Amino acid sequence: MTGAGKDSDSDPVSQQELDEATLQLISSIAAAIRKSIEQGELPHIELPVRSLANVDYAVEKGYFALGKALKTRTLSVNTVRSFAQTLRLMAASRQMVQSNDFATKREAYYISKNWGECRFDEQAESDAIMDDIEALASLHGLSREQLRFYPESHGGSVAGALTVIDTDPETAEVLEIDCANLGSGAYSVPRSVEHLGFRTDAQFILAIETGGMFQRLNNHRFWKKARCILVEMGGVPTRATRRFIRRLSDSADIPVYCFVDCDPYGFANIYRTLKVGSGNAAHINQFFCVPRAQYLGVTPQDIIEYKLEDATHPLSKTDIKRARDAIKNDPFFASHPRWIAAIEQLLSMGVRAEQQALAKWGLNYVIDDYLPRKLKDMDSFLP
Amino acid sequence: MTGAGKDSDSDPVSQQELDEATLQLISSIAAAIRKSIEQGELPHIELPVRSLANVDYAVEKGYFALGKALKTRTLSVNTVRSFAQTLRLMAASRQMVQSNDFATKREAYYISKNWGECRFDEQAESDAIMDDIEALASLHGLSREQLRFYPESHGGSVAGALTVIDTDPETAEVLEIDCANLGSGAYSVPRSVEHLGFRTDAQFILAIETGGMFQRLNNHRFWKKARCILVEMGGVPTRATRRFIRRLSDSADIPVYCFVDCDPYGFANIYRTLKVGSGNAAHINQFFCVPRAQYLGVTPQDIIEYKLEDATHPLSKTDIKRARDAIKNDPFFASHPRWIAAIEQLLSMGVRAEQQALAKWGLNYVIDDYLPRKLKDMDSFLP
């Protein structure tokens, strides 16, 4: 078992240490502002620039990373509201860390309704300021979840050879959740996973696009034969799903194999988001991307090798545009010749195939033939 | 504990008895067709008419129910394909019952790719035929899940004073899942819940619209203080969520209180779907609707009593249209004067309020004040 907070480029730290670092960060910003005021200066906060101009694709790290550019928010007539809002959101964060509570982004917007003139009028306002604070905290290795602002969406469902170690939020008693013992059901990952520990002897994590395929592999106990952990992504994985997979993969030191539909959305939206994150939210990628993810399938070559041609669908205009964009404009795909070749192969075939198309050969062909054969031929995985 | 298959107007029956009834139904249809052919007659199948003309709002039962009209599908040059498809889908169902397997609607479409000339070209075709078979089975008290055709979407997350009794799909060993022992996580309801048993001393089920509110009530162990079971619906509840709530409510003989946003979507789409089902799919309502559901809140009157006016949003044109439709055209709302009054009150206020708006008074106001006060004043619930 490994405790919370281990990231690939830092030593494991405990939830308590992370909480102390969070409180320390907020206090130091507040102290600097107070000092400015006491010295008769206009107070200011330095925040990372979040525009794409300040984002680089860090090949060695394997993700889009925030650059070093900073913007300065100085107190003025024009900024007085956003300045006050930034401080109040940080104060709310401090209080939640101290009381072991949390707020969703929506709740964070609503609590401002009691802030008098610095209340938020729209959630877009509170989200923008929260993004600023999140980007600032990210420079100190702290995620938004550490600040106790949680996303609305929970993580995916999980089943297999894994014990999740949590604590009762009320009594602090240690709880062990055996994900091999949930029958046809599964473990639903909470909105923040920073505090979870893991114990497993699984060989890999299988991240699955569709719920139907997850249910099939779970009902037939595929995870037992293959010694793996099943995670249902349900389309593009949520923050909580991504962070869960990342922390589990780091903690257990096991790879992540992605099993998604063979279409440009599966490649460029689902797989790429999981593996390298996105340029638009570069400040979060250090916590959320999963550089160890590999693409098991369905690959364009699989359509040929598993004779799925008559269970495909024609590529739509959107599919074609997305595929061309990926090859041309996306530094992740552009840096991998095997991905370029695979996407070009798909474009020349003009069709897409869903993972459930394997049912053409029988409902459990995927379990009895496809997955075992793919797992023995890892060279067929895409990077 | 109560075993699987108890519906409000039938005695509890075991999964095995239901499986035998399913196999019996399929065999008897096949035998009748065979007999026709052997007698030199054109074979036919009688299927319920699924149009709105064959749907009644059964006030005493509390849901839209399928009428007695039947249509006859006779084998002819025009119907040969759909006739064969109907039989093949029923054969697939029989095989899945016998092997304790299942297929999603999408998989059912794909397995036809090996059926030669009677393959489905589009999933819309297989869905329509599956709806026919489902409607036919419903006349015999059997749901689509009993036929082993599962929906793609899983059920919601569940936490609280509940032990779910399942069996290991591989070993048939009995498994008990303690939903009070999952930490900050939850139990993810599988796609079919027909086989589940329940043990609980909870007083009620709290069905919650948003994930954020579910996480709050779960993290603060609200279910312990209030002796209830929390179910996250995540918007309009899926089939699996509805059936889970229905079976749990029947089995444990406890009511269901709905905690959703105060807007026409919350009333007419989320709450009404859970409680009375829909007219478009009347053949499934006997299994899926939850007549014991009551509307705890947020009510239009709550906006006034809990001083949420400044945390509301204006009703959109769609909201207003949906609200007027509900009063005018929906037999459920139209038969409840208190609902008409509540919706008219909302229209005259011109605003809507989300359940998370209660955070205006503090993140845990909902736990410390709102819910306890509402639960003491059940007359304030809407029917």
Side-chain angles (χ1 to χ4, degrees):
Chain A
M1 174 202 168
T2 308
K6 186 187 167 190
D7 297 313
S8 59
D9 37 25
S10 66
D11 289 331
V13 284
S14 70
Q15 179 67 44
Q16 199 188 335
E17 287 171 286
L18 286 164
D19 284 348
E20 282 165 12
T22 310
L23 294 174
Q24 171 59 32
L25 173 66
I26 296 169
S27 294
S28 67
I29 295 167
I33 289 169
R34 188 187 178 123
K35 199 175 157 198
S36 301
I37 295 169
E38 287 174 348
Q39 293 178 341
E41 294 162 5
L42 276 182
H44 68 275
I45 309 177
E46 289 202 320
L47 299 162
V49 172
R50 291 188 288 107
S51 74
L52 277 174
N54 189 34
V55 170
D56 301 306
Y57 181 65
V59 177
E60 75 289 355
K61 288 180 177 170
Y63 56 78
F64 294 95
L66 204 61
K68 292 189 197 315
L70 295 173
K71 63 184 177 192
T72 300
R73 181 168 294 158
T74 304
L75 181 61
S76 72
V77 174
N78 289 332
T79 64
V80 61
R81 231 168 130 253
S82 64
F83 197 88
Q85 287 166 335
T86 309
L87 294 183
R88 290 212 69 150
L89 265 190
M90 284 197 283
S93 168
R94 180 166 173 269
Q95 198 171 19
M96 293 190 292
V97 173
Q98 287 169 333
S99 60
N100 193 24
D101 211 337
F102 70 92
T104 62
K105 288 175 88 168
R106 193 73 179 151
E107 286 176 327
Y109 156 74
Y110 277 120
I111 52 179
S112 84
K113 294 296 181 189
N114 244 338
W115 292 355
E117 287 190 26
C118 73
R119 58 173 19 213
F120 295 113
D121 289 330
E122 302 281 345
Q123 196 187 328
E125 286 181 39
S126 55
D127 283 356
I129 289 189
M130 197 180 290
D131 284 344
D132 282 339
I133 300 174
E134 179 177 18
L136 175 61
S138 78
L139 299 184
H140 301 264
L142 297 166
S143 67
R144 194 177 81 206
E145 282 76 3
Q146 292 292 356
L147 294 165
R148 295 296 204 283
F149 293 117
Y150 286 9
E152 183 68 32
S153 301
H154 61 69
S157 299
V158 175
L162 170 69
T163 299
V164 174
I165 296 148
D166 196 351
T167 48
D168 185 302
E170 205 182 34
T171 64
E173 181 199 352
V174 173
L175 295 173
E176 300 208 343
I177 299 128
D178 181 358
C179 298
N181 215 16
L182 299 170
S184 50
Y187 171 69
S188 176
V189 173
R191 278 150 193 82
S192 172
V193 303
E194 303 303 318
H195 58 294
L196 300 180
F198 306 109
R199 189 172 60 229
T200 183
D201 59 1
Q203 304 293 300
F204 62 94
I205 299 164
L206 190 65
I208 302 158
E209 175 172 342
T210 66
M213 184 58 77
F214 173 85
Q215 188 78 61
R216 172 157 309 285
L217 299 186
N218 187 25
N219 271 29
H220 288 276
R221 293 313 194 230
F222 174 76
W223 47 262
K224 205 184 264 185
K225 297 162 211 152
R227 294 186 63 199
C228 69
I229 299 161
L230 307 178
V231 179
E232 173 193 359
M233 294 190 287
V236 176
T238 64
R239 270 177 84 104
T241 305
R242 294 169 61 195
R243 183 68 177 149
F244 181 86
I245 293 174
R246 163 66 181 273
R247 288 204 59 239
L248 176 57
S249 164
D250 280 358
S251 157
D253 198 17
I254 50 177
V256 178
Y257 303 149
C258 293
F259 183 24
V260 306
D261 290 348
C262 181
D263 57 34
Y265 188 81
F267 305 158
N269 296 54
I270 297 177
Y271 175 68
R272 178 185 161 290
T273 299
L274 183 73
K275 178 156 180 158
V276 301
S278 76
N280 286 331
H283 55 292
I284 73 169
N285 291 336
Q286 60 172 306
F287 309 109
F288 289 90
C289 71
V290 183
R292 298 180 68 169
Q294 292 171 70
Y295 189 94
L296 175 146
V298 179
T299 65
Q301 187 60 25
D302 286 348
I303 296 178
I304 298 163
E305 294 198 5
Y306 295 88
K307 298 190 173 49
L308 301 177
E309 290 91 341
D310 60 355
T312 58
H313 296 79
L315 290 176
S316 69
K317 276 185 192 168
T318 312
D319 287 327
I320 293 168
K321 185 179 177 309
R322 192 174 273 135
R324 291 198 175 133
D325 263 6
I327 299 176
K328 210 172 138 188
N329 302 322
D330 189 306
F332 168 69
F333 292 109
S335 70
H336 285 104
R338 289 189 57 212
W339 265 118
I340 295 176
I343 294 172
E344 279 172 352
Q345 183 181 13
L346 193 78
L347 282 167
S348 73
M349 292 161 76
V351 293
R352 61 185 178 84
E354 297 173 359
Q355 51 181 182
Q356 297 191 71
L358 293 157
K360 176 195 160 187
W361 298 115
L363 288 172
N364 293 313
Y365 179 82
V366 62
I367 293 173
D368 300 331
D369 291 79
Y370 178 79
L371 285 173
R373 207 171 125 190
K374 291 290 289 191
L375 287 166
K376 275 190 205 133
D377 178 25
M378 288 175 48
D379 287 344
S380 74
F381 292 7
L382 289 168
Chain B
M1 174 199 168
T2 308
K6 184 187 170 193
D7 295 314
S8 60
D9 36 25
S10 66
D11 288 331
V13 283
S14 70
Q15 179 66 46
Q16 197 188 336
E17 288 172 284
L18 286 164
D19 284 348
E20 282 165 12
T22 309
L23 294 174
Q24 172 58 33
L25 173 66
I26 296 169
S27 295
S28 67
I29 295 167
I33 289 170
R34 186 184 181 127
K35 199 176 157 197
S36 300
I37 296 168
E38 288 175 347
Q39 293 179 341
E41 294 164 7
L42 276 181
H44 68 275
I45 308 176
E46 290 202 320
L47 299 161
V49 173
R50 291 188 286 107
S51 73
L52 276 174
N54 190 34
V55 169
D56 300 304
Y57 181 67
V59 178
E60 75 288 355
K61 288 180 177 170
Y63 55 80
F64 294 95
L66 204 61
K68 293 189 197 314
L70 295 172
K71 62 183 177 192
T72 300
R73 181 168 295 159
T74 304
L75 182 60
S76 72
V77 173
N78 289 331
T79 64
V80 62
R81 227 165 133 256
S82 64
F83 197 88
Q85 288 166 336
T86 310
L87 295 183
R88 291 211 68 150
L89 264 190
M90 283 197 284
S93 168
R94 180 166 172 269
Q95 198 171 20
M96 293 189 291
V97 173
Q98 287 170 332
S99 59
N100 194 25
D101 210 337
F102 69 93
T104 62
K105 288 175 88 168
R106 193 72 179 152
E107 286 176 326
Y109 156 74
Y110 278 120
I111 53 180
S112 83
K113 294 296 179 187
N114 244 338
W115 292 355
E117 287 191 29
C118 74
R119 58 172 21 211
F120 295 113
D121 290 329
E122 302 281 345
Q123 195 187 330
E125 285 180 38
S126 55
D127 284 356
I129 288 189
M130 198 181 290
D131 285 344
D132 281 340
I133 300 174
E134 179 177 19
L136 175 60
S138 79
L139 298 184
H140 302 263
L142 297 167
S143 67
R144 195 178 80 206
E145 283 76 4
Q146 293 292 357
L147 295 165
R148 295 295 204 282
F149 293 116
Y150 286 8
E152 182 68 31
S153 301
H154 61 68
S157 300
V158 175
L162 170 68
T163 298
V164 175
I165 295 148
D166 197 351
T167 48
D168 184 302
E170 205 182 35
T171 64
E173 180 199 353
V174 172
L175 295 173
E176 300 209 342
I177 299 128
D178 181 358
C179 299
N181 215 17
L182 299 171
S184 49
Y187 171 69
S188 176
V189 173
R191 278 150 194 81
S192 173
V193 303
E194 302 304 316
H195 59 295
L196 300 180
F198 306 108
R199 190 172 60 228
T200 182
D201 59 1
Q203 304 294 299
F204 61 93
I205 298 164
L206 190 65
I208 302 160
E209 174 173 343
T210 66
M213 183 59 77
F214 173 84
Q215 188 77 62
R216 173 157 308 286
L217 299 185
N218 188 24
N219 270 30
H220 288 276
R221 294 311 195 232
F222 175 76
W223 47 262
K224 205 183 265 185
K225 297 162 212 154
R227 296 185 63 198
C228 68
I229 298 160
L230 307 177
V231 179
E232 174 193 359
M233 294 190 286
V236 176
T238 64
R239 269 176 85 105
T241 305
R242 293 168 63 193
R243 182 68 176 149
F244 181 86
I245 293 174
R246 163 64 181 274
R247 287 203 60 238
L248 176 57
S249 163
D250 280 358
S251 156
D253 198 17
I254 50 177
V256 178
Y257 303 149
C258 294
F259 182 24
V260 306
D261 289 348
C262 180
D263 56 35
Y265 188 81
F267 305 159
N269 296 54
I270 297 176
Y271 175 69
R272 177 185 161 291
T273 299
L274 183 74
K275 178 156 181 159
V276 302
S278 75
N280 287 330
H283 54 291
I284 74 169
N285 291 335
Q286 60 172 305
F287 308 109
F288 288 90
C289 70
V290 183
R292 298 179 68 170
Q294 293 172 70
Y295 188 94
L296 175 147
V298 178
T299 65
Q301 187 59 26
D302 286 348
I303 295 178
I304 298 163
E305 294 197 7
Y306 294 88
K307 298 189 174 50
L308 301 176
E309 290 90 342
D310 59 356
T312 58
H313 297 79
L315 290 176
S316 68
K317 275 184 191 169
T318 313
D319 287 328
I320 293 167
K321 185 179 177 308
R322 191 175 274 136
R324 290 198 177 133
D325 263 7
I327 299 175
K328 210 171 138 190
N329 302 323
D330 188 308
F332 168 69
F333 291 109
S335 70
H336 284 106
R338 289 189 57 212
W339 265 117
I340 295 176
I343 293 171
E344 280 173 352
Q345 183 181 12
L346 193 77
L347 282 168
S348 73
M349 291 161 77
V351 292
R352 61 185 177 83
E354 297 173 359
Q355 52 182 182
Q356 296 191 72
L358 292 157
K360 177 196 159 186
W361 299 114
L363 288 171
N364 293 313
Y365 179 82
V366 62
I367 292 174
D368 300 331
D369 291 78
Y370 178 79
L371 285 172
R373 206 171 125 190
K374 291 291 289 191
L375 288 166
K376 274 190 205 134
D377 179 25
M378 289 176 47
D379 288 344
S380 74
F381 292 7
L382 290 168

